[in-house]
Amino acid sequence: MTAQQGVPSPLPVDEAPPRPKREIVIEAFIRVAGVSTIIIIILIFAFLLKEGLPAFFKVSITGLLARRWYPIEDMFGLLPLLVGSLLVTVGAVVIAVPLGLTTAVFLGELAPPWLREILKPVIEVLAGIPSIVLGFLGWVVLAPAIQNMGAPTGLTAFTGSLILAYMALPTIISITEDALYAVPKEYRDGSLALGATHWQTIYKVVLPAARSGIVIAIMLGIGRAIGETMAVMLVTGNAANIPSLSDGLYFQPVRTLTATIAAEMGEVASGSLHYNVLFAIGIVLFVITFLINSLATWIIGGNGGRRRGGQI
Amino acid sequence: MDKKIEVNKFDFYYGDFQALIDLNFPIIKNQITALIGPSGCGKSTFLRAINRMNDTISIARADGEILLDGKNVYDQDVDVSELRQRVGMVFQRPNPFPQSVFDNVAYGPRVLGTATKHELPDVVEKSLRGAALWDEVKDKLKSSALDLNPGQQQRMCIARAIAVQPEVILMDEPCSALDPIATLHVEDLMRELSKDYTIVIVTHSMQQAARASDWTGFFWLGKLVEFGGTHELFTNPKQELTEAYITGRQG
């Protein structure tokens, strides 16, 4: 390669200057860290499948979908547990989402700045309360109150829903408020300048613009609710039965998928059928969470518009 | 020449700071009034005082009168929402909502209830035609307004403003984010719109004021230094400060 005088010759592509050793080491370290995380996840999943999949063959799908969970007599019907989880989670979502969204709107749009400065940190501290402490509260305060209102027992699906809703609230409020905060002021000005009221502006411009952030907030809240174990175990009564509509659907004891694993794992013989079924429950939980996450991605991605504003 | 707006002894404060000092001038119906002056001279503050967009700032306070058809917009019994319907606004940067073109333009009539669901398509078409944008977007009404180029976005914001049939349109440096061609589009459009609407425009560009307006007010440090016919003000300014500013010696 001949360079003209005065003009620096370009670096040949195949002869890049040797990179400092330090960088090579750092890069290798980062790569190992990243890959090992993925490998660990794959290993966990493989283990889950290895221990859980046999249950689907030994018990059969119809056996797993039966209405009775009675492991001592080899009856592994997951339906009561699924219904229990569903009831408690749906109940929690129904309570937490409207309450969380309205609180976030109040914090982000209506509250005076000084009040927001107090409330926001308080709500974030709430997120840090250990779930078992909330379980205590549910057991000692909520359950007796619910029993006094006329339910046969205070340990019911409704009690679990209330506790879970309370646990999901800080997540939903905090992330929704962040999403509202990220909505550009220009949107609000544009709406107000057209004669829309403050409330119309929030409802028709700010909330839709923050939609993807709000969906993430709700999904994280639900994720926390469906995976929660200890607090729920304390307050739902742990009876693996399917509540009947006639007896007040929500005011009967139930048992969730997670609580079943936690309660029984310590007592099963490793490698037994019961043991395999508990892992199968783990697979079911995994699939449910995966479906919820996919749904969230679909909702966020499905609006056709470019993503802008209200993003986290 | 009817006066659409009359400004009488108008003062405006942000906390202790007086941003506007004793303004007195008329804004003539169906004509274009340009407000010029250096940054921070109060011209945008004045614009936002007319439709009371400054109400959102808690420390802001107004004194004196801005009469819209003889009625002070700061009177106790004025419905701010109705005021803003009558006095529309176009902002410095195009600010389409992250929704479809149709929903953007239909936004005002929907929230104000000025058009039924069946009338909406007509209102949207009329507004987009009024903003000289219909031919460019008639096939993509359902696509996101954020996909339009900045010039189209700004004209869509003008369409959105006229969809609620305002009487006055305030424009706050509407061309500052646009390229020269898009700027010319908007200026032509202003001329067209002034047949039906009274227009007040704040601009940094003296050429734009000279080209596109009938009346010009020159603001300096919160005061209105000079107000008059645009041609008169630019060719034969009465105040020394005005002359210094428009010739570029001051400002």
Side-chain angles (χ1 to χ4, degrees), chain A residues 66-89:
Chain A
R67 300 173 55 93
R68 202 154 147 68
W69 174 262
Y70 203 60
I72 298 171
E73 295 185 7
D74 278 355
M75 298 167 90
F76 296 109
L78 295 185
L79 206 58
L81 312 180
L82 277 168
V83 171
S85 275
L86 193 75
L87 278 180
V88 173
T89 306

Side-chain angles (χ1 to χ4, degrees), chain B residues 108-154:
Chain B
R110 273 184 181 144
V111 296
L112 297 171
T114 52
T116 66
K117 209 174 169 194
H118 298 290
E119 293 163 351
L120 271 180
D122 281 345
V123 172
V124 170
E125 178 175 343
K126 230 176 106 193
S127 308
L128 285 168
R129 281 190 192 283
L133 190 61
W134 174 252
D135 290 332
E136 292 165 60
V137 300
K138 64 183 175 204
D139 297 323
K140 37 185 175 180
L141 293 176
K142 293 270 169 254
S143 56
S144 172
L146 302 179
D147 292 333
L148 302 178
N149 68 45
Q152 291 172 326
Q153 286 186 4
Q154 193 61 303

Side-chain angles (χ1 to χ4, degrees), chain A residues 209-226:
Chain A
R211 188 174 68 165
S212 58
I214 293 173
V215 171
I216 291 170
I218 293 174
M219 290 304 162
L220 286 177
I222 295 179
R224 180 141 199 226
I226 202 158

Side-chain angles (χ1 to χ4, degrees), chain B residues 14 17-20 37-45 173 204 219-223:
Chain B
Y14 293 116
F17 173 72
Q18 185 164 9
L20 297 173
S39 295
C41 68
K43 52 197 194 308
S44 285
T45 295
E173 297 181 40
H204 256 110
F219 279 66
W220 181 268
L221 297 178
K223 288 182 185 149

Side-chain angles (χ1 to χ4, degrees), chain A residues 185-197 200-205 208-210 303-309, chain B residues 48 51 53 56 81 84-85 87-89 91 94-99 107-108 110-112 144 146-147 160-161 164:
Chain A
K185 186 176 182 297
E186 287 83 14
Y187 292 175
R188 300 165 212 267
D189 280 356
S191 172
L192 292 173
L194 286 166
T197 62
Q200 286 170 327
T201 300
I202 294 171
Y203 186 67
K204 303 212 170 188
V205 175
N303 62 357
R306 207 182 303 159
R307 297 175 69 179
R308 177 183 152 185
Chain B
R48 296 168 68 91
N51 65 345
M53 283 299 283
T56 55
S81 178
R84 289 177 186 157
Q85 179 192 345
V87 184
M89 189 165 213
F91 294 84
N95 60 344
F97 304 135
Q99 300 167 1
Y107 181 83
R110 273 184 181 144
V111 296
L112 297 171
S144 172
L146 302 179
D147 292 333
R160 191 171 68 185
V164 298

Side-chain angles (χ1 to χ4, degrees), chain A residues 57-175:
Chain A
F57 301 110
K58 290 188 206 159
V59 185
S60 84
I61 299 293
T62 45
L64 286 174
L65 287 177
R67 300 173 55 93
R68 202 154 147 68
W69 174 262
Y70 203 60
I72 298 171
E73 295 185 7
D74 278 355
M75 298 167 90
F76 296 109
L78 295 185
L79 206 58
L81 312 180
L82 277 168
V83 171
S85 275
L86 193 75
L87 278 180
V88 173
T89 306
V90 168
V93 169
V94 166
I95 297 166
V97 168
L99 208 58
L101 292 191
T102 43
T103 309
V105 168
F106 172 72
L107 267 184
E109 305 287 326
L110 304 172
W114 63 267
L115 187 58
R116 183 177 325 162
E117 294 305 309
I118 298 172
L119 281 181
K120 189 116 208 250
V122 168
I123 286 168
E124 271 151 21
V125 166
L126 280 187
I129 295 180
S131 64
I132 194 71
V133 173
L134 289 176
F136 283 154
L137 265 173
W139 174 275
V140 176
V141 181
L142 262 184
I146 286 170
Q147 191 161 17
N148 283 342
M149 289 188 317
T153 164
L155 302 174
T156 64
F158 181 69
T159 322
S161 294
L162 274 180
I163 291 291
L164 277 190
Y166 199 72
M167 289 183 53
L169 267 177
T171 311
I172 295 178
I173 294 171
S174 183
I175 296 176

Side-chain angles (χ1 to χ4, degrees), chain B residues 9 26 78 81 98 110 126 135 162 166 186 195 201 217 226 245 248:
Chain B
K9 295 184 183 142
V78 167
S81 178
R110 273 184 181 144
K126 230 176 106 193
D135 290 332
I162 61 183
V186 171
K195 290 173 190 158
I201 176 174
E226 187 164 350
Y245 183 73

